[in-house]
Amino acid sequence: NQALANEDKAEGRTRLVEAVAVLTDASDLAVAGVSLGLLGDNDTAFAALDKALSLDPTDPLTLYQRGRAVAVTGRDLDSGRDALLRFLSGSAWISGVNYRAAAHWRLGMICQAMGDKMTAEQAYKRALVLQPKHKEAQAALKALKTAG
């Protein structure tokens, strides 16, 4: 059964890669990028997000997902920080959900990885002002303070 799951995963990845080649909508490309990242294909995921940003540099979904992907992988930190700052300069709503607290938490992750602990702390605290029970931001702030 594991072999079937791996085969389905490989087929899904192949279809997503094919889709990225022909998609022309930034949000669709962002969704494909997220899916590719979840399948472990970070190179193609970043390529899809880059293509999405080239088509629409202001698309909120793409900006947030680019920042999220950077926060998760630790890759190309400057671009992730910039994407989240651009995202936060807008409404921060995607499909009826406010992602402002999550974006501040992800921004904190990136700033911490960049060695900017002061800005990371500010971002985590801002996430908690917006969403006081944000468990990930709580844990990140606690870990940051514990690490000194």
Side-chain angles (χ1 to χ4, degrees), residues 48-147:
L49 291 166
D50 288 344
K51 182 178 176 184
L53 283 173
S54 73
L55 292 170
D56 185 353
T58 64
D59 178 55
L61 176 63
T62 304
L63 289 169
Y64 177 76
Q65 291 301 341
R66 175 64 181 203
R68 185 204 60 78
V70 167
V72 169
T73 64
R75 151 182 186 169
D76 198 10
L77 296 171
D78 287 331
S79 76
R81 181 196 59 213
D82 294 347
L84 287 174
L85 289 172
R86 288 193 345 241
F87 173 76
L88 287 165
S89 72
S91 73
W93 286 81
I94 301 170
S95 300
V97 177
N98 188 334
Y99 280 82
R100 191 167 298 280
H104 279 286
W105 165 57
R106 299 288 190 186
L107 181 61
M109 293 171 64
I110 291 170
C111 291
Q112 187 172 353
M114 294 174 87
D116 186 351
K117 292 181 180 181
M118 188 171 72
T119 304
E121 182 177 351
Q122 291 171 345
Y124 295 143
K125 286 180 176 179
R126 183 68 182 139
L128 291 169
V129 165
L130 295 166
Q131 190 177 334
K133 295 182 181 182
H134 194 291
K135 291 182 187 335
E136 295 90 349
Q138 290 172 343
L141 182 59
K142 182 178 178 180
L144 181 69
K145 288 184 174 185
T146 302

Side-chain angles (χ1 to χ4, degrees), residues 23-46:
L23 287 172
T24 58
D25 177 78
S27 292
D28 291 344
L29 280 159
V31 170
V34 170
S35 299
L36 285 159
L38 291 171
L39 290 171
D41 188 348
N42 289 326
D43 290 337
T44 310
F46 274 91

